[in-house]
Amino acid sequence: MVDVMLRCKKNERNHKILFITCIAVFALLFIIHSAYMYKTVESMNTLHLAAFLIGVFVVQMLFYTVTALGFLIFGKISGYEFRFMRIAFMKWQKNKEGKIKLTIINERGPSAVCSMTPPDMKDGKFPYLLYSHGLVILSSICIVVSAVFFAFNFNTPVISSLLLLFIFVLLTYVILDVFVGNSRLARDVKKSPEALKGIWLFLKCSDPEFSDTDSEGLPDEWFSSTCDADTSIYWSCTYLIFAGGRHLIKKDFKKAAEVFDKILDPSANITYTEYLYTVADRLFCELMTEANPEVIERLYTNEFKGFLNNVRTYTNLCRNYAFTLFIEKNPAGAAQIKSEFFEASKNPYNQKDAQAETELLLYAENKYFSNSQP
């Protein structure tokens, strides 16, 4: 388990290093250009500074817009259905009547996102490349156009600096997307049928009527090839996460445990957060079946317990309830978690999974108290 955590953390650290390197290089070039402008322009005053600060806000909004529109435009071309789009504090959402409503929001989350539902798969295929590369394609077009304007306005104060800033911001995210983001991950999809299912399931979860845990509308054949999934491909691991979740909801804990073990293999290409969520599901399955002390000790580490306490998501509350009963032997603490769980069930974001998660919690509760009776 330690090796897997170190590998996940190393991958995330490498991503941060790439991001910081891009920022540092582009910041240096921007400073050089700004120094040149300061020496060559005769009158730089507070009005220029005010205009630049306002321009920075405009550049930021333009970047958010390009990011969201990249997925929207190429998603519509690929036959995707619009669900919602967020740009900074503005959110456009499609309601059940099919109408799009704009609301002003004040909530945490990505400042630029466009959620679209993919079309149904036909003959085991669906269009994903154009949509996955939407950010890169539209950003590249904007970079070229901005570069042309920058060349014609090179000696114009404020305007040239803002154009250069816009180019650098877009270029940074293009590099990240190509090497570690959606574009990079999408290039691996063609290597595995399970990866194609994985990316389809992930995108399908944007549909509020589709549950990312039960997937009951899909045939069993969809999840019958878990043994063939290549865990070195990120989207294959995503497929396994959905497959394991399906077995878990159906209370086929042994089958779910087999799938989760594949995801927890040191070679699996998952993020550290996904790894911790999978540990929670695998440990839950273990407690519902063999309850092997060695497996429990290997999974229930101090770092994992810290994750449970700090990330109190809906599914984590359900899992932590079982852990508090079976491992901590603390019914009073479990009762508090249960109360928090049912309070979280009222949240609209948890409604679609409330029934399935409640059944798991009650199953664990009945198993614990039935075993506790003399």
Side-chain angles (χ1 to χ4, degrees):
M1 182 173 178
V2 175
D3 292 339
V4 179
M5 288 193 296
L6 290 175
R7 181 187 57 77
C8 291
K9 287 183 176 180
K10 181 180 179 181
N11 288 340
E12 293 184 0
R13 184 172 65 251
N14 290 340
H15 295 171
K16 291 179 181 178
I17 290 173
L18 177 60
F19 175 75
I20 293 172
T21 301
C22 291
I23 293 296
V25 171
F26 294 146
L28 178 61
L29 294 174
F30 183 79
I31 291 171
I32 293 173
H33 173 266
S34 299
Y36 169 80
M37 291 300 300
Y38 182 79
K39 289 184 178 180
T40 54
V41 177
E42 295 182 359
S43 56
M44 291 287 287
N45 51 43
T46 54
L47 184 61
H48 287 97
L49 178 60
F52 177 76
L53 294 176
I54 295 172
V56 169
F57 173 77
V58 174
V59 166
Q60 185 180 31
M61 293 298 294
L62 283 174
F63 167 68
Y64 293 155
T65 303
V66 170
T67 302
L69 287 182
F71 292 106
L72 176 63
I73 293 171
F74 295 101
K76 293 298 289 184
I77 292 174
S78 301
Y80 285 56
E81 182 181 353
F82 176 82
R83 286 297 171 186
F84 72 86
M85 181 173 70
R86 173 180 178 174
I87 298 176
F89 49 84
M90 298 174 289
K91 185 176 183 179
W92 292 262
Q93 187 158 8
K94 191 175 185 179
N95 58 27
K96 293 182 179 180
E97 289 74 31
K99 297 181 180 179
I100 298 176
K101 183 180 179 181
L102 170 63
T103 56
I104 304 301
I105 59 174
N106 181 22
E107 59 186 40
R108 301 177 68 178
S111 297
V113 62
C114 181
S115 178
M116 304 188 75
T117 303
D120 293 336
M121 296 187 75
K122 295 181 180 179
D123 300 324
K125 298 179 181 179
F126 83 101
Y128 66 91
L129 275 177
L130 199 60
Y131 178 75
S132 299
H133 290 79
L135 170 62
V136 171
I137 296 172
L138 188 59
S139 295
S140 299
I141 294 172
C142 291
I143 288 171
V144 173
V145 173
S146 299
V148 172
F149 278 98
F150 174 76
F152 282 104
N153 295 275
F154 184 81
N155 291 316
T156 305
V158 181
I159 294 178
S160 62
S161 298
L162 291 174
L163 285 170
L164 191 62
L165 179 63
F166 186 53
I167 292 170
F168 286 165
V169 171
L170 288 179
L171 197 54
T172 297
Y173 280 88
V174 166
I175 292 172
L176 291 173
D177 202 68
V178 168
F179 287 100
V180 299
N182 289 326
S183 298
R184 169 67 184 87
L185 297 174
R187 293 198 296 271
D188 290 336
V189 170
K190 59 183 179 182
K191 299 178 183 178
S192 167
E194 290 73 34
L196 188 65
K197 292 179 181 178
I199 190 173
W200 185 86
L201 284 165
F202 177 81
L203 294 172
K204 190 69 175 175
C205 284
S206 64
D207 189 337
E209 299 176 359
F210 183 88
S211 172
D212 58 344
T213 55
D214 58 16
S215 312
E216 289 181 355
L218 298 173
D220 291 334
E221 291 75 16
W222 253 77
F223 302 96
S224 61
S225 57
T226 54
C227 295
D228 302 324
D230 183 357
T231 54
S232 65
I233 300 175
Y234 176 80
W235 289 117
S236 292
C237 292
T238 303
Y239 165 74
L240 290 175
I241 290 173
F242 279 101
R246 182 184 176 93
H247 294 309
L248 180 63
I249 294 302
K250 289 179 175 292
K251 301 180 184 64
D252 188 353
F253 299 116
K254 289 188 176 181
K255 184 64 177 177
E258 293 175 4
V259 176
F260 292 138
D261 281 337
K262 285 182 67 69
I263 304 170
L264 297 178
D265 186 87
S267 63
N269 184 8
I270 57 175
T271 66
Y272 183 53
T273 301
E274 289 167 336
Y275 173 78
L276 291 172
Y277 275 113
T278 304
V279 169
D281 288 338
R282 176 64 181 90
L283 184 56
F284 185 89
C285 292
E286 187 63 31
L287 293 174
M288 298 303 105
T289 53
E290 304 296 331
N292 187 323
E294 293 182 0
V295 175
I296 295 173
E297 183 180 2
R298 174 169 55 85
L299 297 175
Y300 199 61
T301 62
N302 289 330
E303 187 164 5
F304 175 68
K305 284 186 278 188
F307 164 72
L308 289 175
N309 292 328
N310 294 327
V311 185
R312 304 183 73 82
T313 60
Y314 190 54
T315 56
N316 267 4
L317 289 171
C318 175
R319 309 298 181 264
N320 201 13
Y321 175 75
F323 304 156
T324 306
L325 281 177
F326 286 87
I327 303 177
E328 301 292 342
K329 307 295 183 183
N330 182 7
Q336 293 180 352
I337 296 174
K338 181 180 178 180
S339 176
E340 188 178 349
F341 171 84
F342 281 110
E343 186 64 30
S345 298
K346 301 175 184 178
N347 190 318
Y349 290 102
N350 299 324
Q351 286 296 310
K352 64 180 181 180
D353 298 322
Q355 180 178 349
E357 291 297 328
T358 301
E359 288 180 2
L360 285 176
L361 183 142
L362 295 178
Y363 183 93
E365 181 178 81
N366 292 333
K367 182 179 178 64
Y368 175 79
F369 286 108
S370 62
N371 292 341
S372 301
Q373 293 178 356

